[in-house]
Amino acid sequence: MRILHTADLHIGQILYQYYDRFDEHAHFFGQLEAWCDEYRPDALLVSGDIFDIQQPSAAVKDFFNSSVVALHRRFPDIRIVITAGNHDSAARIQADREVWGLADVKLVGHGPASDVLEGGDGWQERFIVELPSGFVVALPFMSSLRTEVVQSLLDAVALRNADGRPVVLMAHQAVTGSDLTGHGDIGNLRSSAIGELGSGYDYLALGHIHRPQTLGHPLADEDEPRSSYGAGIARYSGSALHVSGDERFPHTVSLVDIDRHGGTVELTRLRIDELRHFYILPEPDCEPFGSSFEVYDAVDRFCADPGRGYIRLRVDAAAFASLPSDFVQTIYRKLESTGNEVRFNPQTICENDAAEEAVAERPVFELAELQQMTNPLEFIRKTIDMYPELNLDDLENDFREIEEELLKGDQEK
Ligand SMILES: [Mn+2]
């Protein structure tokens, strides 16, 4: 059985409240298409976080629809399986499943209901894709993961797998012990022990953590083009694009060959070419800029060569304190000549000043990460000292209001 495993597409992501990334995603899909052509996998798996937000715009949905339909039209024999992540609306993904079924694309929005085991068997079919070469059990993100439910799915597969075909399980979860580079210090992230995802699979195709990694194996392995494992491994394919400038590691798509159930898993890392890289000017091991003129000069040079990418600036404390009021505007004006090819993160890093540095270096949390915390407000209370501009009382009020809104929303359902 041969699969292509990717995840965390985050289609529709807007960076710095300004830049859409359609061309970067199109560049990614172009590579995916070339790999499908070259390697002819039995299945293409996307393990959650299709979209960046729960209610993507019409343009974003149009992009997703046309990209996936184009893949299916060109490679009708490759089974495409796509699950919802925590960034996606499970209900919205689920609502589209029948239409996608017509194109032979398996879409899974909702996970199994928490009381599913009480209703007898049969429900498992919704999550199992049987192929001539193997099985895929397609689970989306689940806010409350129940091991018995996952195991019941794997057991249902085992019953029909007398001929020992490979078994792949998909999930979108944070698994304890994974490397969280790029996610900030998400100590409170709700994570599951790997054992909670049951046993009986040969390959667990994970999404959610953006750094490619095979659980229980050193990160240094990621430098190798190929690895061979005994069956029963769990792997994050990693995200399709660098979702932020903190994701400084290479991004890959996983090409996975499994010879038989309980056999060997051969992994090939396909390096994703990024249309736009993230740059820090000057590079972190150089002295920061000492004046706005130095910055303007460097930005001009960057626009001339390489002329494409996301830039963020490092300025020393003295220069930072005396930046002209039109500093940001001046930079945006310089970038206009590149036609949006050079893109600007206006959160300039101020260096050599302990307090400013702490602000610049402190972790930035995504909404989705806070959503996963068992008690986000408690987390904020503990870290409030790092955010002098935030008022804890206001935040507590905001949370209370949101909570009430949510309760109201639940009652309306
Ligand atoms: Mn996710």
Side-chain angles (χ1 to χ4, degrees):
M1 182 187 202
R2 167 173 277 189
I3 59 165
L4 268 180
H5 167 208
T6 185
D8 297 274
L9 308 183
H10 293 267
I11 299 171
Q13 190 191 17
I14 305 281
L15 275 175
Y16 318 133
Q17 277 126 39
Y18 186 62
Y19 303 107
D20 75 55
R21 309 188 74 185
F22 282 119
D23 55 352
E24 294 172 84
H25 276 110
H27 188 59
F28 170 76
F29 271 97
Q31 294 167 78
L32 214 47
E33 190 175 333
W35 288 324
C36 284
D37 189 31
E38 184 173 353
Y39 298 108
R40 301 284 163 161
D42 302 307
L44 167 63
L45 312 183
V46 181
S47 300
D49 283 356
I50 308 161
F51 301 114
D52 195 51
I53 57 170
Q54 303 224 335
Q55 299 195 29
S57 69
V60 170
K61 286 202 76 174
D62 186 32
F63 175 88
F64 168 75
N65 292 348
S66 47
S67 303
V68 177
V69 165
L71 274 178
H72 171 68
R73 285 220 170 106
R74 185 157 173 214
F75 308 105
D77 297 336
I78 299 178
R79 190 78 154 104
I80 301 175
V81 185
I82 301 174
T83 58
N86 57 308
H87 277 250
D88 300 304
S89 156
R92 281 164 193 275
I93 301 297
Q94 187 73 10
D96 288 339
R97 75 192 183 282
E98 302 248 17
V99 176
W100 279 105
L102 295 174
D104 214 24
V105 173
K106 175 81 172 176
L107 210 64
V108 182
H110 287 307
S114 54
D115 59 355
V116 73
L117 293 179
E118 288 148 35
D121 281 343
W123 63 272
Q124 291 93 343
E125 294 316 306
R126 191 157 80 73
F127 302 95
I128 298 174
V129 180
E130 181 170 356
L131 302 172
S133 59
F135 293 87
V136 177
V137 179
L139 284 177
F141 169 69
M142 292 175 289
S143 53
S144 54
L145 178 86
R146 286 184 58 201
T147 306
E148 314 90 271
V149 170
V150 183
Q151 195 55 54
S152 167
L153 283 162
L154 290 165
D155 291 346
V157 168
L159 277 178
R160 347 178 174 153
N161 194 19
D163 49 352
R165 278 174 279 171
V167 179
V168 174
L169 173 64
M170 294 168 76
H172 188 94
Q173 306 290 140
V175 174
T176 314
S178 22
D179 182 281
L180 299 173
T181 309
H183 290 261
D185 177 21
I186 39 184
N188 272 34
L189 188 76
R190 186 179 290 158
S191 66
S192 320
I194 192 72
E196 289 177 54
L197 285 152
S199 60
Y201 55 80
D202 297 301
Y203 181 83
L204 173 53
L206 286 165
H208 190 48
I209 305 296
H210 291 176
R211 182 170 200 162
Q213 56 193 293
T214 304
L215 273 287
H217 294 267
L219 281 170
D221 285 5
E222 298 303 317
D223 300 336
E224 301 294 328
R226 270 177 210 87
S227 300
S228 180
Y229 304 102
I233 58 146
R235 178 167 173 82
Y236 286 103
S237 64
S239 51
L241 305 184
H242 290 62
V243 171
S244 80
D246 298 330
E247 297 185 22
R248 304 197 141 266
F249 41 81
H251 286 53
T252 54
V253 165
S254 300
L255 175 70
V256 182
D257 285 291
I258 313 168
D259 56 351
R260 61 183 167 78
H261 185 50
T264 305
V265 178
E266 299 281 351
L267 168 74
T268 308
R269 299 176 182 87
L270 305 172
R271 177 76 187 264
I272 301 167
D273 177 57
E274 304 271 342
L275 194 62
R276 281 189 199 83
H277 300 286
F278 285 80
Y279 298 87
I280 291 178
L281 304 181
E283 283 178 28
D285 51 347
C286 303
E287 285 290 300
F289 293 124
S291 72
S292 52
F293 300 106
E294 273 182 47
V295 174
Y296 296 154
D297 224 41
V299 170
D300 284 338
R301 269 182 277 123
F302 190 93
C303 289
D305 180 32
R308 174 186 268 177
Y310 293 93
I311 58 171
R312 189 174 182 189
L313 304 165
R314 287 169 59 233
V315 173
D316 72 26
F320 192 85
S322 57
L323 288 179
S325 59
D326 64 346
F327 176 71
V328 168
Q329 286 315 314
T330 304
I331 290 174
Y332 276 123
R333 215 166 32 245
K334 286 177 180 297
L335 303 187
E336 271 169 24
S337 65
T338 71
N340 256 349
E341 284 298 339
V342 177
R343 301 174 166 199
F344 179 48
N345 175 353
Q347 285 205 304
T348 293
I349 303 166
C350 170
E351 287 199 7
N352 300 340
D353 177 299
E356 290 287 355
E357 203 165 294
V359 169
E361 300 259 311
R362 72 194 179 185
V364 177
F365 293 91
E366 276 188 47
L367 180 61
E369 286 163 353
L370 282 171
Q371 280 171 339
Q372 283 204 18
M373 290 179 182
T374 42
N375 188 347
L377 200 51
E378 185 53 33
F379 172 77
I380 290 168
R381 279 190 203 109
K382 281 184 184 157
T383 54
I384 193 76
D385 293 345
M386 294 169 73
Y387 302 84
E389 74 278 21
L390 293 183
N391 179 310
L392 189 58
D393 290 338
D394 290 349
L395 274 172
E396 284 179 334
N397 275 331
D398 290 346
F399 262 84
R400 214 166 299 132
E401 270 175 41
I402 293 166
E403 221 162 38
E404 281 163 18
E405 284 292 315
L406 284 174
L407 282 175
K408 237 188 288 170
D410 272 348
Q411 283 156 6
E412 278 162 18
K413 259 184 210 162

